């Protein structure tokens, strides 16, 4: 079977069998010139090569890298697919820059990752934000409705594109095909940040991939849901609309000229792992998940939230009836178990895609969680505020102009009505609660104060621990 091949890994192994002497970068010389480090780390360095004879060229592939990316293209059925070694961030930047020109109006799902915002800033795009629907069961934003998209295109008929996030960080999906089809009818290119969906190509019981539903370009974080190294991602061109010449130019622009071979090798292996998944493996994965859920409910009196929308079973939302999400996360971590994230209501577990018979993961998880004592912590409920001011909104200060404006620091409690001069980003998931140029509302002030009080990690240019925020 063609998909059994791992061309990059094979090339690295073949090179190592030559017992090479390195008079090239990197300076550790395949791990032979380095201080006292563990042997298993030294093994990684023995495969940390560079673009030399026999190992191909990441930015102009003709050998093993080209073969590996061709296998990726065939697996996903795309027009052309690429490896990303600078994460999905590089892919999002390349999607945006290759699709739009300065001052283009682009419709953007408001619960987007910060890398989307950064891409809009770099390209000087005029974003129009679409407020997602709220999933009451998971207490998280889901996807944009068709009615919201139609309203946006009525108000902004000259929009050049639509940027969607699918599925959400919490694994929640929505009817994305009707959005893609309608946007195409209005001559909009559709870009999808599918960071949490590289495994959706497997089909039922997983939600369908945006790539299979006609998206023009899709970026996926292989390192999030597949066994790839951190920063390893996939980039797919799905239709004839994007210019491959522009795409490849911007992929080269936003990625390192010294690409990581361990990351590339892990992407090669992750692609093979996914391609060889069988129905029996998926069934086993779901069975192990259900056993784990039943154990959590019985042994730890924890609750599991199920979305009102179709959702990814590899995401597990867990709650304690007696505590908030931040405290529950702290309790679980005392046993060496680290969830993906916490919010005021719950913790999120990202589960593995298993091969049949691999029971070790959940056995170890149960042994560790069995030692956890759940702290009772009475906290008042808090509701997630709307991300945008309305279903369709634009920022009053453009990305082009914000750099020229002076900012000042004010007390967060007194910032209502001001224009934010910074992005306030609870991380993870990396979705800006406030963006530069957005108006500060009372409900967002209240929510930010709650996050700070409960110990949430927040990125951005802020002094929230002292109670201040930057505004224009």
């Amino acid at each position: 079977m063609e998909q059994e091949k791992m061309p990059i890994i094979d090339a690295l192994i073949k090179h190592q069998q030559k017992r090479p002497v390195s008079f090239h970068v990197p300076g550790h010389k395949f791990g032979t010139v380095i201080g006292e480090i563990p042997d298993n780390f030294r093994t990684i360095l023995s495969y940390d090569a560079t673009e030399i004879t026999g190992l191909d060229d990441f930015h102009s592939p003709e050998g093993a890298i080209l073969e590996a990316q061709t296998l990726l293209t065939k697996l996903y059925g795309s027009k052309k697919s690429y490896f990303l070694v600078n994460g999905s961030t590089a892919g999002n930047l390349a999607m945006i820059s290759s699709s739009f020109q300065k001052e283009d109006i682009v419709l953007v799902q408001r619960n987007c990752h910060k890398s989307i915002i950064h891409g809009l800033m770099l390209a000087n795009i005029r974003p129009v934000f679409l407020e997602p629907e709220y999933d009451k069961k998971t207490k998280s934003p889901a996807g944009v409705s068709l009615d919201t998209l139609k309203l946006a295109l009525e108000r902004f008929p000259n929009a050049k594109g639509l940027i969607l996030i699918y599925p959400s960080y919490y694994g929640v999906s929505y009817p994305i095909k009707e959005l893609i089809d309608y946007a195409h009818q209005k001559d909009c290119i559709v870009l999808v940040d599918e960071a949490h969906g590289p495994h959706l190509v497997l089909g039922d019981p997983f939600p369908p991939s945006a790539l299979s539903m006609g998206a023009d370009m899709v970026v996926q974080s292989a390192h999030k849901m597949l066994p790839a190294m951190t920063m390893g991602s996939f980039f797919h061109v799905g239709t004839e609309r994007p210019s491959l010449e522009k795409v490849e130019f911007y992929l080269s622009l936003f990625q390192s000229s010294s690409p990581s071979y361990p990351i590339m090798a892990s992407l090669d292996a992750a692609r093979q792992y996914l391609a060889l998944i069988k129905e029996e493996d998926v069934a086993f994965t779901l069975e192990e998940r259900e056993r784990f859920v039943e154990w959590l409910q019985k042994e730890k009196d924890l609750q599991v939230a199920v979305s009102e929308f179709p959702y990814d079973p590899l995401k597990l939302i867990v709650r304690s009836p007696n505590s908030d999400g931040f405290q529950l996360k702290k309790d679980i971590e005392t046993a060496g178990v680290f969830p993906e994230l916490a919010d005021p209501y719950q913790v999120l577990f990202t589960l593995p895609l298993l091969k049949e018979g691999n029971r070790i993961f959940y056995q170890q998880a149960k042994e560790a969680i069995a030692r956890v004592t759940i702290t009772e912590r009475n906290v008042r409920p808090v509701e997630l505020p709307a991300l945008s001011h309305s279903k369709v909104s634009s920022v009053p200060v453009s990305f082009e102009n914000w750099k020229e404006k002076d900012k000042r620091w004010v007390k967060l409690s007194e910032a209502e009505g001001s224009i934010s001069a910074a992005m306030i980003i609870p991380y993870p998931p990396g979705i800006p609660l406030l963006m530069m140029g957005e108006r500060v509302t009372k409900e967002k002030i209240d929510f930010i104060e709650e996050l700070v009080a409960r110990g949430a990690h927040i990125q951005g240019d802020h002094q929230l621990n002292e109670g201040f925020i930057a505004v224009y």
Side-chain angles (χ1 to χ4, degrees):
M1 181 180 176
E2 188 178 32
Q3 289 290 345
E4 291 180 347
K5 298 178 181 178
M6 292 186 290
I8 296 175
I9 289 179
D10 290 343
L12 286 169
I13 292 173
K14 184 178 180 180
H15 186 72
Q16 279 303 307
Q17 288 173 343
K18 297 176 182 178
R19 302 178 66 84
V21 177
S22 169
F23 281 100
H24 56 76
V25 298
H28 59 69
K29 310 302 180 186
F30 294 116
T32 61
V33 180
I34 199 166
E36 293 298 321
I37 61 170
D39 288 341
N40 54 0
F41 186 71
R42 194 182 300 273
T43 299
I44 296 173
L45 296 182
S46 69
Y47 293 98
D48 184 27
T50 191
E51 294 161 311
I52 54 178
T53 301
L55 294 183
D56 208 359
D57 181 347
F58 180 69
H59 291 285
S60 184
E62 297 178 346
I65 298 172
L66 175 61
E67 185 180 356
Q69 292 186 152
T70 300
L71 290 171
L72 182 70
T73 299
K74 291 179 179 179
L75 175 61
Y76 282 89
S78 64
K79 181 182 177 184
K80 194 168 184 180
S81 295
Y82 306 83
F83 287 162
L84 300 176
V85 296
N86 286 71
S88 289
T89 291
N92 286 337
L93 299 181
M95 276 201 307
I96 292 168
S97 293
S98 65
S99 300
F100 308 117
Q101 298 180 5
K102 181 180 179 180
E103 294 297 325
D104 277 352
I105 296 173
V106 178
L107 309 180
V108 183
Q109 186 171 325
R110 178 57 182 80
N111 57 320
C112 63
H113 189 264
K114 63 177 183 176
S115 60
I116 295 290
I117 304 303
H118 293 158
L120 298 171
M121 289 178 173
L122 286 172
N124 288 323
I125 301 302
R126 295 174 58 195
V128 172
F129 293 112
L130 310 184
E131 178 76 7
E133 301 302 299
Y134 186 72
D135 181 6
K136 295 179 181 178
K137 296 291 183 64
T138 65
K139 298 183 181 294
S140 68
V144 173
S145 71
L146 181 59
D147 287 343
T148 298
L149 176 59
K150 288 181 175 180
L151 175 62
L153 285 168
E154 287 174 7
R155 290 179 53 187
F156 299 92
N158 296 325
K160 301 297 184 181
L162 172 65
I163 302 176
L164 298 172
I165 292 78
Y166 173 94
S168 76
Y169 209 125
Y170 291 79
V172 179
S173 68
Y174 56 98
I176 192 174
K177 189 178 190 312
E178 61 185 21
L179 300 178
I180 294 172
D181 291 345
Y182 189 78
H184 283 163
Q185 291 174 24
K186 300 298 181 178
D187 294 324
C188 289
I189 191 168
V190 181
L191 315 179
V192 180
D193 178 355
E194 197 172 78
H196 294 263
H199 59 301
L200 301 187
V201 69
L202 292 172
D204 189 63
F206 304 103
S209 169
L211 195 62
S212 69
M213 291 183 284
D216 298 301
M217 284 190 276
V218 175
V219 173
Q220 300 169 330
S221 294
H223 67 94
K224 284 182 167 63
M225 306 304 297
L226 300 179
M229 289 178 66
T230 298
M231 292 177 67
S233 294
F234 299 148
F235 185 106
H236 307 287
V237 176
T239 71
E240 299 293 331
R241 288 181 183 83
S243 162
L244 288 181
E245 183 179 359
K246 287 184 178 180
V247 165
E248 291 177 358
F249 170 78
Y250 282 105
L251 284 176
S252 180
L253 183 70
F254 290 120
Q255 296 203 89
S256 173
S257 60
S258 301
S260 165
Y261 271 81
I263 291 177
M264 280 190 279
S266 76
L267 287 170
D268 199 15
R271 185 269 316 152
Q272 188 229 43
Y273 184 89
L274 181 66
L276 300 185
I277 287 286
K278 302 175 182 177
E279 290 184 8
E280 295 85 352
D281 299 322
V282 174
F284 177 78
T285 294
L286 297 182
E287 290 168 4
E288 287 291 284
R289 179 192 190 278
E290 290 309 305
R291 291 192 187 98
F292 183 56
V293 167
E294 291 173 0
W295 184 88
L296 289 174
Q297 292 170 330
K298 179 182 178 181
E299 300 296 329
K300 290 298 173 182
D301 192 30
L302 295 174
Q303 303 166 348
V304 172
V306 178
S307 175
E308 61 186 78
F309 298 91
Y311 69 99
D312 178 6
L314 295 188
K315 296 298 181 79
L316 183 65
I317 299 169
V318 178
R319 297 173 185 157
S320 167
N322 302 313
S323 184
D324 69 357
F326 296 115
Q327 184 60 52
L328 179 59
K329 179 174 177 285
K330 290 179 182 178
D331 291 339
I332 293 174
E333 287 179 346
T334 62
V337 176
F338 296 90
E340 176 70 19
L341 62 81
D343 65 30
Y345 328 104
Q346 57 218 356
V347 296
L348 175 66
F349 291 165
T350 298
L351 307 181
L353 180 63
L354 299 171
K355 294 291 179 76
E356 186 176 17
N358 182 359
R359 302 184 187 278
I360 296 176
F361 178 84
Y362 285 109
Q363 288 174 355
Q364 293 177 338
K366 290 176 184 177
E367 290 173 4
I369 296 175
R371 301 191 296 269
V372 173
T373 299
I374 306 299
T375 304
E376 291 194 16
R377 181 180 180 185
N378 294 321
V379 291
R380 69 180 183 84
V382 56
E383 290 299 321
L384 176 70
L387 293 170
S388 303
H389 314 309
S390 61
K391 286 294 182 183
V392 178
S393 63
S394 55
V395 292
V397 179
S398 71
F399 292 143
E400 176 77 7
N401 295 328
W402 69 261
K403 292 178 285 189
E404 301 175 3
K405 291 185 172 292
D406 295 328
K407 68 179 181 181
R408 58 193 176 90
W409 293 93
V410 299
K411 289 184 178 180
L412 176 61
S413 59
E414 300 173 0
E416 183 178 0
S418 300
I419 303 299
S420 176
M423 288 204 290
I424 304 299
I425 310 168
Y427 199 91
I431 298 169
L433 184 59
L434 266 178
M435 294 193 195
M436 293 178 196
E438 276 191 328
R439 196 168 299 280
V440 183
T441 63
K442 179 65 165 60
E443 61 178 352
K444 288 194 177 183
I445 291 173
D446 291 343
F447 193 72
I448 292 169
E449 289 177 339
E450 283 288 341
L451 290 178
V452 173
R454 299 187 190 200
H457 177 64
I458 300 177
Q459 294 181 341
D461 181 17
H462 63 78
Q463 298 176 9
L464 292 176
N465 289 336
E466 288 76 41
F468 288 86
I469 188 175
V471 299
Y472 292 119

